[in-house]
Amino acid sequence: MARAATTADAFNAVAEPRRREILDALTQGERPVNELVDLLGLAQPHVSRHLRVLREVGAVVVRDEGRQRLYRLNPQALKPIHDWVASYQHLWEERFDLLEDVLEDLKEEH
Amino acid sequence: MARAATTADAFNAVAEPRRREILDALTQGERPVNELVDLLGLAQPHVSRHLRVLREVGAVVVRDEGRQRLYRLNPQALKPIHDWVASYQHLWEERFDLLEDVLEDLKEEH
DNA sequence: CCAATGCATATCCATATGGGTATATAATCG
DNA sequence: CGATTATATACCCATATGGATATGCATTGG
């Protein structure tokens, strides 16, 4: 078995930096493909394929407008990722709490 | 160019479900390889290689203990992922508000 | 010191990637 | 209707994946 398809889930889709760039660009609002091509400095077919992947995992939705296709962000698709990492957040934040506790103790000793 | 290496960054490393399982298991604390093998039901060489990937992106750290190697979670490595998705969080939380606005508009048009 | 235990590494294979380039399709303009 | 614009798809290629299996290398126990 090879590596999971990039379209397998949001985790795989978003592992590609260019696709994150596309999503980042779409936070500003709906955009046609050509605008993304300019923004990313990638070849058009390449952008189209990245968009396909993002569409397949539900991270973006398309809308036809004349001969353009407007892509829009669908942020919900990223929620599973957020939920997963969020469960680790307290683990790296604990260090600060510990530090604070120590500082608190030091202050009280004064 | 092929897909980015799984060891390229935390995003790629964590795109593999088995590796997320390993990290999840390590939230309970340090574990030797064999324990992870049992927990995941994977072949030992396979687990070792997943651990290598996780080590290379800094998501875990190893410690030698006799003839065992104890792996420990290094949650900080996941922070970049958290930071990235977190910037999208308000977008999916806003949707409900937007939906309400649209419904409100539709009602008024009647 | 030799056998056993615990891991890591090497090799083989099928697969899908992302890049490039060429081409197909759809819509609009003159 | 033909030409142009905007996208999508089809190929070709090099690469690295994840699974399987075999083997190498330490450390420990008898």
Side-chain angles (χ1 to χ4, degrees):
Chain A
M1 200 184 275
R3 209 203 296 202
T6 55
T7 53
D9 54 38
F11 283 94
N12 280 281
V14 149
E16 166 64 31
R18 300 328 192 85
R19 287 196 282 266
R20 289 201 298 279
E21 282 184 50
I22 290 179
L23 294 180
D24 289 344
L26 293 180
T27 58
Q28 309 288 19
E30 220 174 29
R31 287 184 194 280
V33 179
N34 259 343
E35 220 171 297
L36 294 169
V37 169
D38 291 345
L39 280 169
L40 300 195
L42 281 182
Q44 173 268 312
H46 206 186
V47 172
S48 282
R49 272 199 322 180
H50 280 318
L51 286 168
R52 185 162 177 38
V53 172
L54 292 173
R55 234 185 324 160
E56 291 194 28
V57 300
V60 299
V61 285
V62 214
R63 177 167 78 83
D64 282 29
E65 175 92 9
R67 50 184 165 184
Q68 291 190 316
R69 307 204 79 193
L70 299 177
Y71 281 84
R72 183 165 49 81
L73 191 64
N74 182 232
Q76 280 93 354
L78 303 179
K79 203 166 175 302
I81 302 178
H82 182 268
D83 290 347
W84 183 73
V85 265
S87 73
Y88 285 83
Q89 186 179 9
H90 73 279
L91 292 175
W92 70 70
E93 279 178 350
E94 263 172 15
R95 310 196 117 249
F96 295 107
D97 299 342
L98 288 176
L99 181 61
E100 277 168 26
D101 289 349
V102 173
L103 291 174
E104 218 40 53
D105 290 350
L106 284 174
K107 261 194 271 181
E108 278 168 33
E109 277 173 32
H110 267 274
Chain B
M1 199 184 274
R3 210 202 295 204
T6 55
T7 54
D9 54 37
F11 283 95
N12 279 282
V14 149
E16 166 65 33
R18 303 325 192 99
R19 286 195 282 265
R20 289 201 298 279
E21 283 184 51
I22 290 179
L23 294 179
D24 289 345
L26 292 180
T27 59
Q28 310 288 18
E30 219 175 28
R31 287 182 193 284
V33 178
N34 259 343
E35 220 170 296
L36 294 169
V37 170
D38 291 344
L39 280 169
L40 301 195
L42 282 182
Q44 174 267 312
H46 205 186
V47 172
S48 281
R49 272 200 322 177
H50 280 317
L51 285 168
R52 186 163 178 34
V53 172
L54 291 172
R55 233 187 323 160
E56 291 194 27
V57 300
V60 300
V61 286
V62 215
R63 177 168 78 83
D64 282 30
E65 174 92 12
R67 50 184 164 181
Q68 291 190 315
R69 308 203 76 192
L70 300 176
Y71 281 85
R72 182 165 50 81
L73 191 64
N74 181 232
Q76 280 92 356
L78 303 179
K79 201 165 176 304
I81 302 178
H82 182 268
D83 290 347
W84 183 75
V85 267
S87 72
Y88 285 83
Q89 186 179 8
H90 71 282
L91 292 175
W92 69 68
E93 284 176 349
E94 268 173 13
R95 296 212 114 240
F96 296 106
D97 303 338
L98 288 177
L99 180 62
E100 278 167 26
D101 290 349
V102 172
L103 291 175
E104 220 39 57
D105 290 350
L106 285 175
K107 261 194 268 180
E108 278 168 34
E109 277 173 32
H110 268 274

